[in-house]
Amino acid sequence: MGDDWDTVTKIGSKTRSGGSQKETVVRGKSALNAAQRSGAVIGTEKKYGAGNSASKPGVEGQHLTKVDRSEDIVKPKEVGPDVARAISTQRQEMTPKLTQKDLANKCNTTPNVIADYEKGKGVPDQKVLSAIERVLDVHLRGPRIGGKKSELKKK
């Protein structure tokens, strides 16, 4: 009886020529229950990161990890005051003047997003900025913020 503590029984293991045993993975509840009833030693391991490739962590996960590891508060990026000034002045200079609601409808977004961008508090979204640039004919990204887009085409 004292020898039983020193031996290890593995489910599905076969004796090889080298004397080493092969471990097998038991799939299914019935095979696991049968192994438990036979009194075999069972070890379980949790697999992390297994699954399809669509569940790969994105940039948000990396950002959240960075926030978790830092001790101070990390603010999200905001559009600058140059972008806010360019949007509001160009919207007022158009004939007829565009309201924030009209601009939002033409850009397929909400008036709150336009209001946040004009305050300089909005989180930059490249699709929305591109749509605003197209409607207002003004640069909102890059070194020429506030410049007319049509001036570049005429040259």
Side-chain angles (χ1 to χ4, degrees):
M1 191 81 175
D3 296 341
D4 291 324
W5 292 105
D6 297 331
T7 60
V8 176
T9 304
K10 295 183 181 178
I11 301 169
S13 62
K14 296 182 181 178
T15 310
R16 294 188 180 182
S17 60
S20 65
Q21 295 178 341
K22 178 184 171 193
E23 291 184 16
T24 59
V25 177
V26 176
R27 298 185 192 273
K29 203 71 163 148
S30 61
L32 182 64
N33 288 337
Q36 286 175 338
R37 280 193 302 271
S38 70
V41 176
I42 298 172
T44 59
E45 294 179 17
K46 178 86 173 157
K47 289 188 177 181
Y48 294 99
N52 60 11
S53 61
S55 64
K56 290 182 181 175
V59 178
E60 297 93 20
Q62 292 172 357
H63 178 69
L64 291 176
T65 303
K66 181 180 176 184
V67 170
D68 285 344
R69 289 183 184 161
S70 67
E71 293 182 12
D72 50 330
I73 299 172
V74 177
K75 283 180 59 178
K77 293 182 181 176
E78 297 177 345
V79 295
D82 300 337
V83 174
R85 205 173 312 113
I87 292 173
S88 60
T89 56
Q90 189 64 25
R91 187 174 60 82
Q92 297 297 327
E93 290 174 0
M94 290 187 74
T95 52
K97 288 184 179 180
L98 278 178
T99 63
Q100 288 181 346
K101 184 177 180 181
D102 294 336
L103 180 59
N105 286 337
K106 288 187 176 188
C107 295
N108 198 18
T109 187
T110 62
N112 290 339
V113 171
I114 302 296
D116 287 344
Y117 276 26
E118 287 190 4
K119 291 177 197 171
K121 300 292 182 186
V123 178
D125 182 1
Q126 297 303 318
K127 288 182 181 179
V128 175
L129 287 173
S130 175
I132 295 172
E133 283 180 336
R134 179 181 40 83
V135 171
L136 295 179
D137 188 38
V138 67
H139 283 283
L140 298 177
R141 301 173 286 182
R144 300 185 52 215
I145 294 177
K148 292 274 191 188
K149 290 187 90 170
S150 58
E151 292 175 358
L152 183 62
K153 294 177 184 174
K154 291 179 183 178
K155 291 181 181 180

